[in-house]
């Protein structure tokens, strides 16, 4: 019974991880920008929803505002931070440090505006009921799983069926060639940031409703996204989403075996193991060299 | 929101509204080393407010010949920034009285303060390892082992609790509480049925809760900090745990008090009856309410006391004709021992730990009510 | 008296069911230039990779002057005197031309190189002459990434020269080179050949093949279909149909 | 020199040349690669451009397709001045570039690559079928591997897809950058001949940059030799049949 | 004032060692580690235990720290041999997270979150010595060694591996050996910094050896200029003194002190990267940087 309960808990965590990881993977895959401020988009989206809720907006409007805020943040990052850097030198860690600086700034601004500490959206959706003896499930579990599922299918369809999605995949493979095809790599890169960041919003809203937010929450989300992207195989959205789900479940199920304080380390041990033994990830193509 | 913005405005105005004699004398500098950014900044903000009210009172009453100024440094709750901040407070700002909090900060600055003979006062950290770090390191808060001793009989006798589960962060505080629960519960005929340590950064608690539920407790004791405490409470309630939640003084935060899921939670604090006739307590409660637009809680009171004590001891030293510094104030403290502070009389032991009476509080309708 | 510098027997390798190299037996005599020709996907580059240890062969053997090299790491094969170039050059892009060439002379991976100052001077001398031979002396302090196309190709050759190997495996070293560069390149090969270096080159341009090589090995579908002197091979009508289109006689 | 004839046609757009570029200069970071180059690509001709490595041939192609901004000079495409020197604007004006190397995305299928090209050219869904059929008529072998990922194709097949992709935009001026690299001679012939035939059937002009002089001359109408960012020879391929003459120019 | 500056200088020297050694593998070998704090921590715990259990001799502490950190750096070398670029960043991230958990849980060795307290001050021949001269000496030694190695053949070997490891290998370089050697050298250096840190602070706990610390060291290298000799040192001094300098800004309301400081700090980081992407001492004219 405990196993089933932990599995269900893991699924909910996994759905959140899968969505953020898919967003990170989309951005990283298409633009090769290691967007460590992805967690910041998550935080912003969560707090915008929180404010909208607090201001008494209808929830659909709050969701839209949250998605819009995440997208705007992603686009602003691309245009004002990443693009100027890449115009000069575009080194991997230059981008890393710049994005890290931004995440520090945003975290503290949120702390000043929204108050430091814990904040949550109070909704009955996160309240569990006993569906089977000893098994407690909140409606939020089904909502988050469905959201993750629907968004993932939509994203897959977009990337395979819509030419703009195909163009994003093309950008990932050979950015220099994009212009020869008459397309704008800058425009596509903005698109990747917009969609990728938007994916963080639903996850952030679910988090706001369940575990609650604090201004530093983006940090952990970003780490998990990175781990899932690598475990899933760079360039594979399917892999990142699946790996995000897996990490969520592993973190939860690990509790049947190890003590609770080790649960998080399990995720990163999985990551480390994957890199040593299967660097290509679940779906990636081997390219260790 | 509005309350906070108001606080911000007051804070901004603060440096300009010093008493008139500020121009004539170089102020005494009181330092503070709290986490002012990062995940624990909520505490730093609360601590600072308490101290701000105390300093305003000291200055308004002209308790000392020179005004007192608060110099705030951000410790980030990390050793290295704490050490840099402490060095600045001692060597640049010439602070002889530093308010601190947090295990890492306290332990990192204790040797520096010890060498410089600077008084360090803790009113937030309750880990048992904070006792006796240095003759100059004092605690104006009852350390956690005492808190456990206070709540266990209440739980067993008043709430008929037989089985307790503990969720704790694996640090000296958590370990201290774990040890105390193991010892105290059987003594009162109850038992510790499970203990679950969580990493400091953990944010998802659904799975931990599932294991807590398995142990079928009558009450769950939480030993964590800041935002994480609230997340654990919400995790427990969301996942169908309806039993009593209890904790130590760390629960005395707005984030918990206003959390709907925390309704009915029990926690211990120093005895503090704002409605009592005690003038010091009353003045503090009124002025705090006026200044920040909300009722104070224990943490505000603790750091009010921590800062106010400087005024009391400083006056003693000044009146005896001495120079106000760590050494003279420590001597004054050891000579006096008992002080009238917010919440009543507090008494220091040899090590500089203040013993106060403890009370058990319950959160009811977003208010903290003393219940035992 | 010329011996066989490198010999491979029945090298095979498949990737996920596709037989890329299916039993290649090849011998490279000292002082000879062997051109490896064949249609795209015939397994030419894979053969190089199997010999140098970059890929592990499914079966087959290879030896350098009788010493078996199967299972050795690429750096071990290199230290036995095999130098190779890559189609995509793989220059040390952010290092200067001189550093690129010097790096080719230093094989120790330890904090310093053995042999002290004297050996260091010898290596520097070797690097200078390699740059001179490839016409890069004037560009010695330019970074590889800033070089023009042909200069990069010559830098790749300079590294091989400086490495003082006696077996060269060159992957399309002349592709994209203009006529005069090609002639300069030819001189490099001729000089090496005269020193007894065994050279194997992959090349598509027939002019280059005819100009530079004295032997041809014709590869198709992972097998050596024919091996011998250029005249004979290029006139073989069966090979011509596969490879040269309808104008083989011109090429010959 | 080619440029000198350019002025004559400016007043008669109906018989305009495919591309008329005048006074183009371009460079990278202070190094001038093209110096005041003028070039005319006549409608329906195959013009072959040869020259040293680094002579500026690829840069010229990139400038003509709007991938690289010239510092001076301008161009007209079929008598019209393009609205903008960008690949999109020049593509709309009828110019297409087949870049050096493999001009395909390895993880996309051939279908997807074609879809991408049609989308970026703004061809509506209804017209796409017809365009693809047109290309398959010219390069029928593409049918054999339409569903495969480009990365799994051989070099020749990839080059075929890359050219097919360019043809989908119905170019009237096709720029080919060293299409023979890495291809066996027979493959190259198989590839270039159907393209060359389009010059008659559609009046398409082709600008071919090649190192492989033998193969390129076989299909070209006119040859330009470039050295250090300037043209130093213009004439018929036959004039350069003499090896010595060619050597002298290099 | 002096004591404040001495403390800052000591911490700057220690950070300088960390940044220089990290730069050695980031700037030259292209090994992008975000686990440098792990080896800093290993050295700190090792050095602290020597001082606590044996003698507070700084040389012995540094030696033990270097051996422990260098020895365990094989944990980092292992993924470095298998993968590169973003993959390696993620591997080192995993190592960092797991190591931080271990530091927090192995209480007998590390004291857990409570840390190790009362580490004695360093003594040489019975006299207590300040850490600053020791740290400066170690920094000078490590800078000298890195400079020698960077300019010498080993630096060239590493750079060639960074730019094209397969080509380096086919020129006879044992890539794995060279990478391992570089990692061991850099991590041993970080270990020395750790021992000095423990002796200077007298107290250490896991919070000084977390991912944030690793990222800060990385930021020092990048902001100063990866692949330059003095850049990391400049970056270390800058990032360390910036918050200290900001704390002198008057009239920040006490409750917002931390946030305002952090905002200035973060903004400075971002702006520096936008306008000096190659780092303060990096050469902007050189095309794309490799770090």
């Amino acid at each position: 019974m405990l196993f089933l309960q932990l599995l269900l808990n893991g699924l909910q965590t996994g759905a959140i991880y899968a969505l953020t990881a898919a967003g990170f993977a989309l951005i990283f895959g298409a633009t090769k920008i290691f967007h460590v401020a992805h967690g910041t988009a998550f935080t912003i989206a969560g707090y915008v929803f929180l404010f909208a809720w607090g201001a008494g907006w209808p929830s659909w409007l709050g969701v839209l505002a949250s998605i819009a805020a995440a997208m705007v943040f992603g686009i602003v990052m691309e245009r004002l931070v990443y693009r100027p850097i890449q115009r000069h030198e575009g080194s991997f860690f230059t981008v890393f440090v710049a994005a890290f600086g931004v995440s520090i700034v945003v975290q503290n601004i949120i702390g000043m505006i929204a108050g430091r500490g814990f904040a949550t959206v109070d909704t009955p959706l996160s309240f569990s009921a006993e569906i089977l003896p000893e098994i407690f499930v909140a409606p939020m579990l089904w909502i988050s799983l469905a959201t993750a599922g629907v968004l993932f299918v939509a994203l897959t369809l977009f990337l395979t069926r819509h030419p703009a999605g195909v163009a994003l995949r093309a950008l990932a493979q050979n950015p220099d060639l994009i212009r020869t095809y008459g397309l704008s790599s800058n425009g596509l890169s903005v698109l990747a940031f917009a969609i990728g960041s938007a994916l963080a919003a639903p996850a952030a809203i679910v988090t706001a409703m369940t575990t609650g937010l604090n201004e530093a929450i983006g940090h952990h989300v970003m780490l998990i996204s990175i781990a899932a992207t690598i475990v899933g195989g760079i360039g594979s959205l399917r892999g990142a989403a699946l790996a995000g789900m897996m990490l969520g479940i592993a973190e939860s199920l690990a509790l049947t075996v190890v003590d609770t304080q080790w649960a998080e380390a399990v995720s990163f041990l999985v990551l480390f193991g994957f890199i040593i033994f299967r660097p290509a990830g679940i779906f990636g193509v081997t390219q260790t060299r | 929101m509005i309350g906070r913005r108001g606080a911000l405005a007051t804070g901004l105005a603060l440096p300009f509204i010093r008493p008139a004699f500020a121009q004539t004398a170089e102020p005494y500098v009181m330092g503070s080393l709290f986490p002012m950014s990062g995940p624990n900044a909520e505490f730093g903000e609360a601590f600072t407010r308490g101290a701000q009210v105390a300093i305003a009172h000291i200055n308004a009453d002209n308790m000392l010949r020179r005004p007192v100024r608060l110099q705030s440094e951000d410790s980030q709750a990390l050793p290295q920034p704490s050490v840099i901040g402490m060095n600045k407070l001692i060597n640049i700002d010439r602070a002889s009285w530093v308010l601190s909090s947090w295990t890492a900060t306290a332990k990192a600055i204790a040797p520096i303060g010890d060498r410089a003979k600077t008084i360090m006062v803790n009113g937030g950290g309750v880990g048992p390892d904070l006792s006796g770090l240095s003759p100059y390191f004092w605690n104006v808060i009852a350390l956690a082992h005492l808190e456990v001793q206070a709540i266990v009989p209440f739980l067993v006798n008043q709430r008929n609790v037989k089985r307790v589960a503990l969720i704790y962060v694996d640090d000296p505080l958590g370990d201290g509480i774990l040890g105390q629960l193991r010892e105290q519960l059987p003594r009162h005929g109850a038992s510790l049925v499970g203990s679950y340590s969580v990493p400091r950064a953990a944010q998802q608690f659904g799975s931990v809760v599932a294991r807590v539920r398995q142990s079928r407790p009558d009450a769950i004791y939480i030993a964590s900090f800041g935002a994480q405490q609230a997340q654990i409470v919400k995790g427990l309630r969301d996942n169908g745990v309806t039993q009593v939640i209890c904790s130590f003084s760390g629960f005395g935060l707005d984030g918990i008090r206003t959390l709907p899921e925390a309704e009915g939670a029990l926690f211990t604090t120093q005895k503090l009856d704002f409605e009592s006739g005690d003038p010091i307590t009353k003045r503090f409660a009124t002025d705090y309410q006026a200044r920040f637009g909300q009722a104070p809680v224990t943490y505000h009171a603790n750091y009010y006391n921590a800062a106010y004590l400087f005024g009391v001891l400083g006056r003693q030293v000044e009146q005896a004709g001495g120079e106000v510094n760590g050494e003279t104030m420590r001597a004054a403290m050891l000579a006096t021992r008992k002080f009238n502070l917010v919440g009543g009389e507090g008494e220091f032991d040899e090590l500089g730990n203040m013993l106060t009476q403890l009370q058990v509080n319950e959160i009811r309708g977003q208010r903290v009510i003393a219940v035992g | 008296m010329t011996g066989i510098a490198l010999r491979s027997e029945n090298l095979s390798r498949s990737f996920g069911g596709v037989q890329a190299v299916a039993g290649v037996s090849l011998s490279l005599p000292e002082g000879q230039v062997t051109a490896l020709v064949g249609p795209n996907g015939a397994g030419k580059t894979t053969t190089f990779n199997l010999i140098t240890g970059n890929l592990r062969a499914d079966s087959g053997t290879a030896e350098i002057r009788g010493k078996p090299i199967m299972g050795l790491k690429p750096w071990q094969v290199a230290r036995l005197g095999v130098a190779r170039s890559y189609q995509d050059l793989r220059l040390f892009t952010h290092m200067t031309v001189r550093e690129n060439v010097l790096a080719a002379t230093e094989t120790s991976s330890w904090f310093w190189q053995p042999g002290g100052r004297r050996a260091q001077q010898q290596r520097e001398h070797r690097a200078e002459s390699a740059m001179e031979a490839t016409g890069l002396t004037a560009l010695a302090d330019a970074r590889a990434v800033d070089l023009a196309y042909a200069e990069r190709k010559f830098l790749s050759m300079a590294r091989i020269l400086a490495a003082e190997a006696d077996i060269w495996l060159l992957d399309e070293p002349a592709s994209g080179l203009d006529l005069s560069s090609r002639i300069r390149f030819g001189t490099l090969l001729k000089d090496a050949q005269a020193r007894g270096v065994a050279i194997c080159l992959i090349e598509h341009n027939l002019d280059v093949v005819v100009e530079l090589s004295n032997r041809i090995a014709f590869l198709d579908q992972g097998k050596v279909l024919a091996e011998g002197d250029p005249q004979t091979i290029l006139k073989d009508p069966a090979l011509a149909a596969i490879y040269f289109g309808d104008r083989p006689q011109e090429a010959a | 020199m080619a440029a000198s004839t350019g002025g004559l046609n400016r007043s008669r757009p109906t018989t305009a040349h495919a591309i008329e570029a005048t006074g183009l200069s371009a460079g990278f970071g202070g190094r001038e690669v093209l110096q005041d180059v003028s070039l005319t690509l006549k409608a329906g001709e195959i013009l072959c451009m040869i020259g040293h490595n680094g002579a500026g041939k690829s840069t010229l192609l990139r400038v003509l397709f709007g991938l690289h901004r010239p510092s001076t000079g301008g161009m007209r495409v079929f008598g019209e001045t393009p609205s903008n020197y960008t690949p999109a604007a020049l593509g709309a004006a009828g110019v297409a570039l087949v870049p050096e190397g493999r001009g395909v995305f390895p993880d996309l299928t051939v279908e997807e690559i074609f879809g991408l090209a049609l989308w970026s050219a703004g061809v509506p869904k209804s017209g796409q079928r017809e365009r693809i059929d047109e290309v398959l008529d010219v390069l029928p072998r593409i049918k054999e591997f339409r569903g495969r990922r480009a990365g799994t194709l051989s070099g020749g097949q990839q080059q075929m897809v890359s050219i097919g992709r360019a043809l989908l935009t119905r170019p009237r001026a096709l720029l080919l950058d060293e299409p023979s690299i890495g291809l066996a001679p027979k493959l190259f012939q198989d590839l270039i001949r159907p393209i060359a035939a389009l010059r008659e059937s559609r009046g398409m002009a082709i600008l071919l940059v090649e190192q492989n002089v033998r193969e390129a001359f076989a299909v070209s109408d006119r040859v330009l030799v470039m050295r250090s960012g300037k043209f130093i020879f213009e004439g018929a391929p036959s004039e350069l049949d003499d090896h010595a003459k060619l050597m002298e120019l290099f | 004032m002096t004591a404040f500056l001495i403390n800052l200088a000591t911490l700057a020297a220690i950070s300088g060692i960390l940044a220089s050694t990290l730069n050695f593998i980031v700037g030259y070998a292209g090994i992008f580690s975000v686990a440098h704090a792990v080896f800093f921590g290993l050295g700190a715990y090792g050095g602290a235990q020597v001082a606590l259990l044996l003698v507070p001799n700084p040389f012995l502490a540094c030696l033990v720290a270097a051996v422990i950190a260098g020895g365990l750096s094989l944990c980092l070398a292992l993924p470095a041999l298998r993968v590169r670029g973003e993959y390696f960043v993620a591997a080192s991230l995993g190592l960092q997270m797991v190591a931080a958990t271990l530091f927090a849980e192995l209480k007998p060795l590390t004291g857990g979150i409570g840390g190790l307290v009362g580490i004695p001050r360093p003594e040489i021949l019975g006299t207590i010595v300040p850490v600053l001269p020791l740290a400066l000496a170690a920094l000078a030694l490590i800078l000298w060694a890195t400079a020698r190695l960077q300019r010498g053949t080993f630096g060239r070997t590493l750079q060639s591996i960074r730019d094209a490891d397969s080509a380096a290998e086919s020129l006879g370089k044992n890539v794995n050996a060279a990478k391992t050697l570089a990692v061991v050298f850099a991590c041993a250096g970080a270990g020395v910094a750790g021992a000095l840190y423990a002796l200077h602070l007298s107290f250490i706990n896991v919070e000084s050896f977390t991912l944030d610390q690793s990222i800060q060291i990385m930021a020092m290298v990048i902001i100063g200029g990866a692949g330059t000799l003095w850049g990391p040192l400049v970056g270390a001094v800058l990032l360390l003194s910036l918050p200290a300098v900001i704390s002198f800004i008057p009239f920040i309301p006490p409750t917002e002190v931390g946030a305002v400081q952090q905002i200035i700090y973060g903004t400075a980081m971002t702006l520096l990267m936008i306008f000096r992407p190659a780092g303060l001492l990096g050469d902007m004219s050189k095309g794309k940087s490799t770090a």
Side-chain angles (χ1 to χ4, degrees), chain A residues 1-2 5-6 9-10 13 16-17 51 107-108 111-118 120-122 126-129 134-136 138 207-217 220-221 251-252 255-264, chain B residues 1 4-5 8 35-43 45 168 170 195-199 201-214 216 226-228 230-232 234-242 255-256 259-261:
Chain A
M1 273 304 114
L2 181 63
Q5 178 69 58
L6 290 179
N9 289 336
T13 313
I16 293 167
Y17 289 174
F51 271 86
Q107 175 180 328
N108 283 284
M112 282 173 89
I113 301 174
R116 304 181 180 95
F118 180 77
T120 175
V121 170
D122 188 33
S126 69
F127 200 76
S128 305
E134 305 261 316
I135 301 294
F136 285 73
T207 306
M209 289 179 163
T210 53
T211 50
L213 301 170
N214 66 55
E215 72 268 23
I217 199 165
H220 180 75
V221 167
E251 202 179 291
S252 181
L255 293 185
T256 56
V257 193
V258 296
D259 268 344
T260 33
Q261 71 267 35
W262 297 96
E264 193 189 26
Chain B
M1 269 322 296
R4 180 173 305 276
R5 211 167 274 142
L8 188 66
M36 302 305 294
S37 61
N40 298 309
E42 189 179 8
F43 284 101
E45 197 175 340
Y168 69 111
D170 193 11
S195 57
Y196 308 91
S197 88
V198 291
Q203 285 165 341
Q204 306 280 350
F205 298 101
S207 308
V208 178
V209 171
R211 284 194 54 183
V212 169
R213 206 168 44 221
Q214 287 275 311
R216 302 182 187 290
Q228 199 183 43
Q231 285 174 320
I232 296 174
K234 189 162 191 314
L236 284 167
R237 291 296 183 242
D238 273 359
N239 288 283
V241 173
T242 51
I256 303 276
L259 184 72
E261 283 82 359

